Amino acid sequence: MNTHNHNFSEFMSDLPREVDHEVAGDIEKESVFVSPFIERIHVSEDGKSARVVVRPGADLEETQEKAKRFLAVMVRQVTGFEIKVFVDTKRKDQGPYYVGVNDELVKRGWMHDYGKGQVAYSGPVLKLAKLINDKAGELYQAAFNAKDAHFPAMIDADTLHKCGYFDSHPNAVTFVGNVIEDFDAIEEFRRANSCSEGALMPHQDHIHIDGMCLNPAACFPCYPTLSGQSFDEGRCYTWLGRVFRYESRNINGLDRLYEFNVRELVFVGDEDYVRSVRAKALPVVEQLASFMDIDCQVQTATDPFFATVSAAKKFWQASQEVKNEIKIPALGNDGSVKQLACGSINLHGNFFGKRFGFTCKNGEPAQTGCVGLGIERWVLAAFTQHGFDEARWPDAVRNVIFG
Ligand SMILES: [Zn+2]
């Protein structure tokens, strides 16, 4: 009997446990990584069941089984940790939030969306992105005497492995592939493309992936450069990093890009030092939000880990309170307010100090922490909160971006 389906279809699956909105959101977002045949999994309003949307050609039995295993691990997530709010700025602009910022930016010619999670921008969008980056850099310089740095956009798989990334976010990795160094294979690839309509990829066997990846977290490339150093006094580094996270079908305008820019701050030293920098980073974020005149909160949070390790790692993060997230309200495509994660403030303990061999006082592995600001999301949030009427923007920002 043929169990393959030739059209989009759906089936319902009872959840092993009732889930809240937070877990429901995680299930929907991570569902794009369950099976090539699962379009999306939606959790019902009551949090008791899931609607699985299946693509044509699926083996239904196998797809159902996979969805079940995914849901079984996702519902184990523990939620309900008290959310602590450390920063809460309120904007002075009284105007409404603007619905449809992405479309309007494209319409005005200030942004080009390539449709695969990458954007090009110019004019006021570029000026605003630069301003946010520069302002954050200035604030970090003033508050922490941060040293400027620069790092490559590609990263070695061994470094990523050391950073624990494959263990936490294996679905988000992008490997760089090359055509094998073979005269015939290269010629075959050349010939195939010399008169084809669209690009033809090399034969699978003719691609080698020898361990270069696109960097998925701004701070990672910094750690190998610290190896062997001792930090008797704490130190801060800051730079603009290019970051890549494979988001599959979750990409969406400036809300969720595959390739984006992060203003990063990394601090290295003993425990007192990294904790003091984290504490001082809060008013710095507050200053940046006030400068932009936007509603903004910094609160305790957890990362979206891959399904199989999500429950355990989220629990650890939440219970240790090692992650704070910068949440800036923006509007979803349907006009509802959503909290856009525009950056995070993280403590890593001595994880990187141990793995990459750098120390603080007494030769102990040094502790580290980082602050990352997602530039494009700050841009989206600012346009959402001030719209396109220049008069609504704070003077200092308006003069730069519309001047
Ligand atoms: Zn980081």
Side-chain angles (χ1 to χ4, degrees):
M1 210 185 95
N2 183 9
T3 58
H4 291 266
N5 200 310
H6 300 284
N7 300 305
F8 271 90
S9 60
E10 292 183 3
F11 63 83
M12 296 299 292
S13 182
D14 283 336
L15 294 177
R17 174 174 90 75
E18 192 180 322
V19 299
D20 60 17
H21 281 286
E22 193 187 330
V23 178
D26 285 349
I27 287 174
E28 297 205 10
K29 179 166 165 277
E30 298 306 314
S31 68
V32 298
F33 295 107
V34 180
S35 156
F37 293 109
I38 292 179
E39 177 69 18
R40 185 74 65 174
I41 300 178
H42 303 278
V43 175
S44 61
E45 198 45 46
D46 63 9
K48 289 178 179 164
S49 60
R51 182 166 57 88
V52 182
V53 182
V54 182
R55 295 180 151 192
D59 177 322
L60 277 183
E61 215 171 299
E62 197 185 305
T63 309
Q64 270 172 340
E65 198 267 334
K66 218 174 250 201
K68 244 196 174 110
R69 279 191 285 130
F70 165 72
L71 293 169
V73 290
M74 289 302 283
V75 301
R76 274 192 224 138
Q77 283 184 189
V78 180
T79 52
F81 278 93
E82 182 203 353
I83 292 174
K84 294 183 186 164
V85 177
F86 303 108
V87 168
D88 191 4
T89 64
K90 296 267 177 266
R91 66 190 180 131
K92 295 191 199 82
D93 180 0
Q94 298 294 311
Y97 282 10
Y98 191 94
V99 194
V101 168
N102 286 308
D103 290 344
E104 184 62 24
L105 294 178
V106 170
K107 216 172 94 193
R108 286 172 181 247
W110 299 347
M111 183 169 96
H112 175 82
D113 190 335
Y114 293 90
K116 291 188 169 182
Q118 297 168 289
V119 288
Y121 42 82
S122 58
V125 176
L126 175 62
K127 286 179 182 165
L128 181 58
K130 275 186 158 168
L131 180 65
I132 295 163
N133 178 47
D134 291 345
K135 186 74 189 171
E138 270 170 40
L139 292 169
Y140 290 156
Q141 170 67 39
F144 310 115
N145 194 22
K147 280 187 161 191
D148 286 326
H150 172 76
F151 298 99
M154 287 197 287
I155 190 163
D156 204 85
D158 283 326
T159 304
L160 273 190
H161 177 258
K162 256 189 185 176
C163 291
Y165 199 76
F166 296 155
D167 187 39
S168 305
H169 305 282
N171 53 310
V173 184
T174 305
F175 299 96
V176 176
N178 307 92
V179 184
I180 52 170
E181 291 89 336
D182 180 286
F183 186 77
D184 298 323
I186 299 168
E187 174 61 9
E188 187 185 312
F189 171 63
R190 187 196 68 76
R191 250 198 236 172
N193 279 281
S194 66
C195 50
S196 67
E197 285 231 343
L200 297 173
M201 294 300 103
H203 196 272
Q204 287 280 351
D205 307 343
H206 293 171
I207 299 177
H208 69 132
I209 296 174
D210 62 359
M212 289 305 272
C213 302
L214 298 180
N215 184 35
C219 62
F220 292 164
C222 172
Y223 303 120
T225 71
L226 306 180
S227 286
Q229 295 192 53
S230 80
F231 295 87
D232 289 346
E233 290 191 357
R235 200 178 296 160
C236 287
Y237 301 91
T238 185
W239 67 93
L240 181 67
R242 184 68 63 93
V243 171
F244 305 81
R245 285 183 198 158
Y246 183 61
E247 296 280 1
S248 182
R249 295 185 296 283
N250 289 331
I251 55 165
N252 174 27
L254 291 176
D255 309 51
R256 193 171 294 284
L257 290 164
Y258 184 179
E259 175 177 358
F260 54 98
N261 291 283
V262 172
R263 167 52 82 160
E264 186 77 1
L265 175 78
V266 163
F267 31 109
V268 196
D270 62 14
E271 185 170 359
D272 288 346
Y273 177 75
V274 294
R275 287 195 177 270
S276 76
V277 173
R278 176 169 81 160
K280 276 196 257 170
L282 295 169
V284 170
V285 171
E286 197 164 15
Q287 271 174 278
L288 187 61
S290 303
F291 172 74
M292 307 281 299
D293 187 36
I294 51 179
D295 296 329
C296 171
Q297 285 196 340
V298 178
Q299 59 186 51
T300 47
T302 56
D303 274 317
F305 295 103
F306 183 60
T308 54
V309 289
S310 185
K313 287 188 190 282
K314 269 181 183 269
F315 179 82
W316 181 83
Q317 260 189 343
S319 58
Q320 301 292 310
E321 293 185 10
V322 289
K323 186 183 181 76
N324 296 332
E325 209 156 53
I326 301 163
K327 302 265 199 189
I328 307 183
L331 296 179
N333 295 342
D334 60 353
S336 62
V337 176
K338 61 173 180 184
Q339 299 296 323
L340 204 58
C342 293
S344 62
I345 306 172
N346 309 286
L347 289 183
H348 315 129
N350 62 12
F351 180 85
F352 294 110
K354 266 188 180 162
R355 296 243 167 148
F356 290 90
F358 50 93
T359 55
C360 57
K361 277 177 218 144
N362 317 323
E364 300 272 311
Q367 304 227 348
T368 57
C370 73
V371 181
L373 306 175
I375 299 291
E376 285 81 0
R377 283 192 175 174
W378 277 77
V379 167
L380 172 63
F383 271 104
T384 302
Q385 296 197 19
H386 297 309
F388 292 84
D389 172 5
E390 295 177 17
R392 285 178 50 191
W393 289 73
D395 293 349
V397 178
R398 180 180 52 242
N399 294 340
V400 174
I401 72 169
F402 298 114

